Amino acid sequence: MSRNTKINVLLLIVVAALAVLPLALGLGDHKEEPFAGADAEAETAITEIKPDYEPWFSPLYEPPSGEIESALFALQAALGAGVLAYYFGVHRGRRQGEQRALERSRDESGAGGAAPAEESTAERA
C-alpha cells in the first residue's frame, strides 16, 4: 500500500470517527434538539441573555420548512465542494502538463535531433 493510500485511509477513518463518536457517546442526550445548528444555539442564547432583543436585519428568503432549508444548505455545500474540486483538478492538470512538456523538451534536446519514441500512458505513470 502506497503512502498516499495509507494517508487517505487514515483520513477516512478520522472523518468516520468524528461522525459516529458524538452519536455513540450520547453527547447530545441532555438537549431537546441535540444536534441543532449554530444559528439555533445562538438564537437561544441571545433570547436568554436579552429577551427583548430585536434583530437588525431580516432574511431575504425564509424557506417554508426546515427540510427545504436543509436541502438548500446541502446544495450550497455541494456547489462549494464542486468549485473547489474543479479548481484543484485544473491546478493539478496544469502542473502535470507543465511537467510533461518539460520532460519532452529535455528528451528532444538530449536525443540529438532524433525523434523520441512514443510512450504509452501506462509507461508514463
Side-chain angles (χ1 to χ4, degrees):
M1 192 182 305
S2 72
R3 182 173 185 262
N4 285 340
T5 304
K6 289 178 185 176
I7 291 173
N8 287 340
V9 168
L10 180 65
L11 287 173
L12 285 173
I13 291 170
V14 168
V15 167
L18 284 173
V20 172
L21 281 177
L23 298 172
L25 298 175
L27 295 179
D29 289 345
H30 64 281
K31 295 182 178 180
E32 187 176 318
E33 292 184 32
F35 300 106
D39 292 344
E41 294 285 332
E43 185 178 346
T44 304
I46 289 170
T47 54
E48 286 177 6
I49 294 170
K50 190 172 182 184
D52 58 336
Y53 174 77
E54 289 289 327
W56 292 1
F57 300 100
S58 61
L60 296 175
Y61 172 70
E62 188 74 34
S65 70
E67 292 83 10
I68 294 176
E69 185 176 357
S70 294
L72 290 174
F73 183 76
L75 178 65
Q76 176 186 357
L79 287 172
V83 167
L84 283 175
Y86 176 78
Y87 169 77
F88 287 123
V90 167
H91 183 70
R92 182 175 183 193
R94 285 182 182 165
R95 188 177 60 218
Q96 286 177 346
E98 289 172 358
Q99 287 176 348
R100 287 182 184 150
L102 244 163
E103 289 172 4
R104 286 184 188 143
S105 67
R106 287 181 189 157
D107 290 345
E108 288 174 359
S109 65
E118 288 295 320
E119 294 178 331
S120 69
T121 56
E123 291 173 342
R124 284 187 214 149

